[in-house]
Amino acid sequence: MTERLGLIGLGIMGKPMGKNLLKAGFPLTVWNRTASRMEELVALGATGAASPKEVAENSDIIITMVSDSPDVQQVILGENGVIYSVRAGSVVVDMSTISPQVTREIAALLKEKNVDMLDAPVSGGEKGAMEGTLSIMVGGDAAVLERVRPVFNAMGKRIVHIGENGMGQVCKLANQIAVALNNLSMAEALVFAAKAGADVGKVLEAIQAGAAGSWALNNYAPKILRRDFSPGFMVSLQQKDLNLVMQAARDLNLALPGTALTYELQKALQAWGLEREGNFAVVKVIEKMAGVEVKAEGRRMKDEG
Ligand code: NAP
């Protein structure tokens, strides 16, 4: 039997994920708070709904892809939320990046209605969402994951069961720690090379292939050299995620000094009104402290224009 799918949240990530679900042949009902964002998917064959509740009425598996913990609570538990019409035996799959603790609370409330939940946050960005190559980190019951796996296969390439509810989000937050610190280490390496007068393009070419090599160096450093700070993954979302990390770390009595540092450095970008730039714009904070700008041809003083 083909599962009827629902998708709530058609932003940068949700819309291309929805397109891939349609491409894979799933019947799809969608809802987005800003209704005009549903039009493209409706034109491709999805059914538009008037509320998250209406999505749940018409779906066996309901996916949410909204911004933050309060937003997931809103569409699932709030007025006209999923919980008011979801049937026993259905599955709610939250693919947003939110708090592991809030995830566990929502899962427990759904369980009272005999509804299973998976937390299934993703990595791979807009590109991965468009190409159907997301990494999907799953928390929840393994048998429920097997039921949902064909749906995940339409959107992602690597699907890993991490553990019980909340553990998908724990994995995603671990991912965000590594991403943020990779960006910072890249930024310091590039600014150091620029300040010392090296041709940063050549430095990049040399170090990409060695022990320093990273996704950030391959994908973001060339953009920095072109002074292209378009996202990718926005500073504002990165800060939302690092804030979730710091909250979870506080609950665990865990010190994460590197994460705390990069969180504070990215606050400068927010203060400068740059929170819609890509997270690798953290290089601008290091550049400001150094008085140089990273350019392909090497060192360039800020005041050289
Ligand atoms: P986005 O483009 O800002 O889209 C957010 C979506 O959530 C929009 O559809 C928005 O509706 C909806 N929304 C937000 N608050 C809501 C509320 N209270 N009630 C109802 N709908 C609400 O964000 P995105 O980039 O798609 O990110 C979605 C999630 O994926 C986030 O948790 C993010 O951290 C995660 N993620 C993003 C990336 C990335 O590269 N962008 C990568 C991995 C994971 P409106 O259209 O009405 O605003």
Side-chain angles (χ1 to χ4, degrees), residues 4 12 30 34 43 48 72 81 87 205 211 213 241 270 285 297:
R4 295 169 312 150
I12 290 178
V30 296
T34 307
V72 176
R87 284 181 313 279
E205 187 186 339
D241 291 355
Q270 295 180 293
V285 185
E297 61 273 21

Coordinates of all heavy atoms in Angstrom, one line a residue, residues 4 12 30 34 43 48 72 81 87 205 211 213 241 270 285 297:
R4 N 0.3 7.6 2.2 CA -0.1 9.0 1.9 C 0.7 9.9 2.7 O 0.7 9.8 4.0 CB -1.6 9.2 2.1 CG -2.5 8.4 1.2 CD -3.9 8.4 1.6 NE -4.0 8.2 3.0 CZ -5.0 8.7 3.8 NH1 -5.9 9.5 3.4 NH2 -5.0 8.4 5.1
I12 N 13.2 26.8 2.3 CA 14.4 26.5 1.5 C 14.6 25.0 1.4 O 14.9 24.4 0.3 CB 15.7 27.1 2.1 CG1 15.7 28.6 2.0 CG2 17.0 26.5 1.5 CD1 16.9 29.3 2.6
V30 N 0.2 19.1 1.3 CA 1.1 20.1 1.9 C 0.4 21.2 2.6 O -0.7 21.6 2.3 CB 2.1 20.7 0.8 CG1 2.9 19.6 0.2 CG2 1.3 21.4 -0.3
T34 N 2.8 30.6 5.0 CA 2.6 31.6 4.0 C 2.0 30.8 2.8 O 2.8 30.1 2.1 CB 3.9 32.3 3.6 OG1 4.5 32.8 4.8 CG2 3.7 33.4 2.6
A43 N 1.0 22.9 -8.2 CA 1.1 22.8 -9.6 C 1.7 21.5 -10.1 O 1.4 20.9 -11.2 CB 1.8 24.0 -10.2
G48 N -3.1 21.0 -1.6 CA -2.9 22.1 -0.6 C -3.9 21.9 0.5 O -5.1 21.7 0.2
V72 N 7.9 23.8 15.7 CA 7.4 22.4 15.6 C 6.3 22.2 16.6 O 5.3 21.5 16.3 CB 8.6 21.4 15.8 CG1 8.1 20.0 15.8 CG2 9.7 21.6 14.8
G81 N -3.4 22.1 15.1 CA -2.2 21.3 14.9 C -2.4 19.8 14.5 O -3.6 19.3 14.6
R87 N -4.4 10.1 13.2 CA -5.0 8.8 13.6 C -3.9 7.8 14.2 O -2.8 7.9 13.8 CB -5.6 8.1 12.4 CG -6.9 8.7 11.9 CD -7.5 8.0 10.7 NE -6.4 7.8 9.7 CZ -6.0 8.7 8.8 NH1 -6.6 9.9 8.8 NH2 -5.1 8.5 7.9
E205 N 45.0 25.6 -2.7 CA 45.3 24.5 -3.6 C 46.2 23.4 -2.9 O 46.0 22.2 -3.0 CB 46.0 25.0 -4.9 CG 46.1 24.0 -6.0 CD 46.9 24.5 -7.1 OE1 47.0 25.8 -7.3 OE2 47.5 23.7 -7.9
A211 N 46.2 16.9 5.1 CA 45.6 16.5 6.4 C 44.6 17.6 6.8 O 43.7 17.4 7.6 CB 46.6 16.3 7.5
G213 N 42.5 19.0 4.8 CA 41.4 19.0 3.9 C 40.0 18.9 4.6 O 39.9 18.2 5.6
D241 N 21.1 26.8 15.9 CA 21.6 25.5 16.2 C 22.7 25.5 17.3 O 22.7 24.6 18.2 CB 22.2 24.8 15.0 CG 21.1 24.5 14.0 OD1 19.9 24.7 14.3 OD2 21.4 24.1 12.8
Q270 N 25.9 39.0 13.4 CA 24.5 39.4 13.6 C 24.4 40.9 13.9 O 23.5 41.6 13.5 CB 23.9 38.5 14.8 CG 23.8 37.1 14.4 CD 23.2 36.2 15.5 OE1 23.9 36.0 16.6 NE2 22.1 35.7 15.3
V285 N 34.9 38.2 10.6 CA 35.3 38.7 12.0 C 36.8 38.5 12.2 O 37.4 39.4 12.8 CB 34.5 37.8 13.0 CG1 34.7 38.3 14.4 CG2 33.0 37.8 12.7
E297 N 44.4 36.7 -4.8 CA 45.8 37.1 -5.2 C 46.7 37.3 -4.0 O 47.7 37.9 -4.1 CB 45.8 38.3 -6.1 CG 45.1 39.5 -5.6 CD 43.6 39.6 -5.8 OE1 43.0 38.5 -6.0 OE2 43.1 40.7 -5.7

